[in-house]
Amino acid sequence: MADDYVKHEVSIKIAIYSHDAEKVLVMVYPAREGLHGLPGGHLEADELPDQALIRELNEELGISLDAFEKKSFFLRNGDEGSVILAYTATALADIVLNPPDPDFEHAVWMTANEVQAIQHMSIEYKQLVAENWPNK
């Protein structure tokens, strides 16, 4: 009976908007043929979602945030079956990005139109960004 259930991997993702609400931080994966995403990653064993978010932002970009807000959750399309816990934040000032391996992954600031034009980004990520854009 237990084999009838699908085990979903749980991840966290965050839309971080610039302090002037003009741009959002988007992950770029140079070796993965134009793939874009949002900062975040998988929960590790015995880790709470907020802890995972703090860890992932430090690991991926070398940054920390003073505050962030839980928004929703969704299933990412495709064969991965991941449950995504969604967060948002607004940077209080310019964030200095310090990714440990920019050839593997790094982030860039993009406008709403630039995000919508990305071909290789999950529609759910685009919706998270668009639906929570500050002052829109």
Side-chain angles (χ1 to χ4, degrees):
M1 176 77 79
D3 293 338
D4 295 339
Y5 295 98
V6 176
K7 181 179 178 184
H8 292 285
E9 181 177 87
V10 178
S11 296
I12 45 90
K13 292 293 178 176
I14 187 168
I16 304 172
Y17 302 96
S18 60
H19 65 279
D20 60 5
E22 294 294 321
K23 296 184 178 185
V24 67
L25 205 54
V26 173
M27 294 300 295
V28 178
Y29 305 97
R32 297 180 70 189
E33 301 176 14
L35 183 67
H36 291 74
L38 293 175
H42 307 297
L43 269 72
E44 293 182 354
D46 298 323
E47 187 174 47
L48 296 173
D50 290 6
Q51 294 169 326
L53 180 61
I54 291 166
R55 176 184 52 76
E56 286 287 349
L57 290 174
N58 185 48
E59 287 177 2
E60 291 179 355
L61 302 172
I63 66 171
S64 62
L65 293 174
D66 293 328
F68 44 82
E69 184 178 346
K70 294 175 187 154
K71 285 301 195 182
S72 61
F73 70 94
F74 54 87
L75 272 179
R76 184 170 53 203
N77 283 336
D79 57 5
E80 295 180 47
S82 294
V83 174
I84 307 296
L85 305 177
Y87 289 78
T88 62
T90 299
L92 299 179
D94 291 334
I95 294 177
V96 176
L97 303 174
N98 189 22
D101 188 357
D103 292 331
F104 176 70
E105 63 185 3
H106 62 275
V108 296
W109 291 103
M110 292 187 164
T111 65
N113 289 338
E114 289 171 329
V115 170
Q116 291 307 313
I118 297 171
Q119 291 183 359
H120 300 292
M121 183 181 203
S122 164
I123 187 66
E124 294 88 359
Y125 295 169
K126 289 182 180 184
Q127 288 174 334
L128 173 66
V129 167
E131 290 172 1
N132 293 284
W133 204 285
N135 304 321
K136 291 261 179 186

